[in-house]
Amino acid sequence: MTALDLPRSFTIREGDLRILNPFDDAKLATLGRAIKLRPGASILDLCSGKGELLCTWARDHGVTGTGVDISTAFTAAARARAAELGVADRVRFVHGDAATHVPEQRVDLAACVGATWIGGGVPGTLEILERALRPGGMVLVGVPYWRRDPPDEETVTGCHARSRDEFRDLPGLVGLFGECGWDLVEMVLADQDSWDRYAAAHWLNLRRWLDANPGDELAGELRRELTEDPLRHVRYRRDHLGWGVFALLRR
């Protein structure tokens, strides 16, 4: 791990997953169709993970783009995926801090799917994305929301929220976009099955890694996670926490 990187546990947990959020292949493809991507459109994907959004949309829609991610392992995986899909001449992946990245040219679409921590929340992330956007361009932001009001602090903590106010419910989130001066023009939401696929894939990755690395310094920490997370998911996150990607145009 370099000075600018994610902890090793992230790489272990995500394993061979290509989409590092509660979307599946079908939902990612649906999103690409729904926002009516045009051939040659330019995209900046901040916190691009393993590059599945950029690589599959370059293949399916003929877009070009740049992905920026702090993880050296994820960036390497994204470059390999671009080569695998034959789109390495249309997309590139940069190891760096997405919060401070400045593109060489403004883009048609700026995305941050599942990492609004780079701006300290939705409003700050929208400001970061807008700096990269050409006039009339579109923003994509992926963010959690409360599907059901958490009844107690135990539920809030079980959903990995620092407080009840960290997330809004869906009407509150849509209202926040408006308060920030954006029109919501499309959305694709995760469902309980896609949450299950993402969460359960972590458990299998963790178990296989633990079986292969019983003496590793991370074994104790990741053993606790595997013991606790399935119950946390079915008791709290699955019913209370939603997640979606929202397409916005500046008013």
Side-chain angles (χ1 to χ4, degrees), residues 2-241:
T2 69
L4 187 67
D5 213 331
L6 289 174
R8 190 161 55 100
S9 59
F10 280 75
T11 306
I12 296 167
R13 188 180 299 111
E14 300 295 345
D16 60 358
L17 285 174
R18 288 176 172 158
I19 301 174
L20 311 185
N21 58 56
F23 260 17
D24 54 26
D25 295 344
K27 289 186 183 295
L28 185 61
T30 295
L31 178 63
R33 292 191 300 269
I35 60 175
K36 298 177 171 62
L37 289 166
R38 292 190 296 271
S42 57
I43 299 177
L44 176 65
D45 188 10
L46 297 180
C47 301
S48 51
K50 296 184 182 179
E52 194 71 359
L53 181 152
L54 275 178
C55 291
T56 57
W57 288 3
R59 177 195 64 191
D60 297 340
H61 302 283
V63 301
T64 64
T66 298
V68 183
D69 201 275
I70 199 173
S71 168
T72 52
F74 295 167
T75 301
R79 291 169 180 159
R81 183 64 166 155
E84 178 187 356
L85 296 186
V87 296
D89 59 332
R90 279 178 269 163
V91 296
R92 69 187 185 104
F93 294 95
V94 177
H95 173 244
D97 184 355
T100 59
H101 178 81
V102 179
E104 296 173 4
Q105 295 180 321
R106 294 197 174 200
V107 297
D108 299 309
L109 174 68
C112 180
V113 177
T116 52
W117 51 264
I118 68 170
V122 169
T125 301
L126 292 176
E127 290 177 8
I128 291 172
L129 292 172
E130 188 173 23
R131 292 201 297 264
L133 204 62
R134 67 162 180 79
M138 180 180 286
V139 157
L140 290 181
V141 61
V143 66
Y145 59 89
W146 294 120
R147 291 183 70 241
R148 293 167 51 189
D149 186 45
D152 48 40
E153 286 304 308
E154 187 176 340
T155 303
V156 171
T157 302
C159 291
H160 298 294
R162 288 167 293 187
S163 73
R164 187 184 304 256
D165 296 333
E166 183 173 1
F167 309 135
R168 299 194 178 197
D169 62 10
L170 189 55
L173 180 58
V174 173
L176 177 60
F177 297 145
E179 293 166 18
C180 293
W182 297 83
D183 285 327
L184 176 62
V185 296
E186 254 300 350
M187 66 180 189
V188 178
L189 305 182
D191 54 31
Q192 286 178 310
D193 182 65
S194 57
W195 257 125
D196 291 346
R197 299 281 58 72
Y198 183 52
H202 288 168
W203 309 333
L204 184 56
N205 289 339
L206 290 172
R207 176 55 195 264
R208 285 179 169 166
W209 182 88
L210 285 165
D211 287 347
N213 300 275
D216 191 281
E217 62 182 3
L218 289 178
E221 171 191 336
L222 297 183
R223 175 66 257 179
R224 285 190 297 275
E225 179 176 338
L226 178 56
T227 301
E228 297 168 0
D229 196 68
L231 184 57
R232 185 162 49 226
H233 175 69
V234 298
R235 178 174 285 168
Y236 305 119
R237 197 167 53 220
R238 192 176 193 273
D239 288 332
H240 290 88
L241 196 61

